[in-house]
Amino acid sequence: MKLPAVAPGIVFKDLADGGILFSTQQEIYFSLNAVGAAIWRLLPPECETLDQMVDRLAAQYPDVDPQMIERDVRELLADLEREGLVENREAARS
């Protein structure tokens, strides 16, 4: 699965315990915990596919089952897409 791209107008700010996303277009804030911020930082161009991202996160969090990592990543990406913070790269080209 190809990872979504960061939507236009999204600003990310790293914090000690995670991060904050701000949509300049929708004027909404979205808080990320430390794992969510790690996922955000691995979005394209850092990683192109879900498998690449899961592998990188599994190396970062070796005590967590890769299947659980994948479920959590999919859930967060769905939330981010629903909020308009990321967009499906295939749909964006159409």
Side-chain angles (χ1 to χ4, degrees):
M1 171 185 137
K2 280 193 161 194
L3 292 170
V6 174
I10 303 302
V11 178
F12 173 70
K13 174 68 176 159
D14 255 320
L15 301 174
D17 58 348
I20 295 286
L21 299 172
F22 175 68
S23 171
T24 59
Q25 295 175 347
Q26 299 173 53
E27 298 183 353
I28 62 165
Y29 287 92
F30 193 91
S31 178
L32 297 171
N33 64 18
V35 175
I39 291 168
W40 182 264
R41 288 189 292 274
L42 290 174
L43 288 173
E46 191 65 30
C47 291
E48 291 294 319
T49 67
L50 178 64
D51 289 341
Q52 289 174 337
M53 181 182 277
V54 170
D55 288 347
R56 295 270 299 271
L57 290 167
Q60 210 173 336
Y61 301 98
D63 295 338
V64 182
D65 177 16
Q67 289 180 334
M68 178 176 277
I69 292 172
E70 182 175 339
R71 279 192 305 268
D72 290 348
V73 168
R74 285 180 181 273
E75 184 178 320
L76 178 60
L77 293 177
D79 289 346
L80 294 172
E81 190 167 357
R82 196 169 25 258
E83 295 294 333
L85 302 168
V86 296
E87 54 189 24
N88 182 307
R89 291 188 290 164
E90 300 301 317
R93 285 188 214 154
S94 304

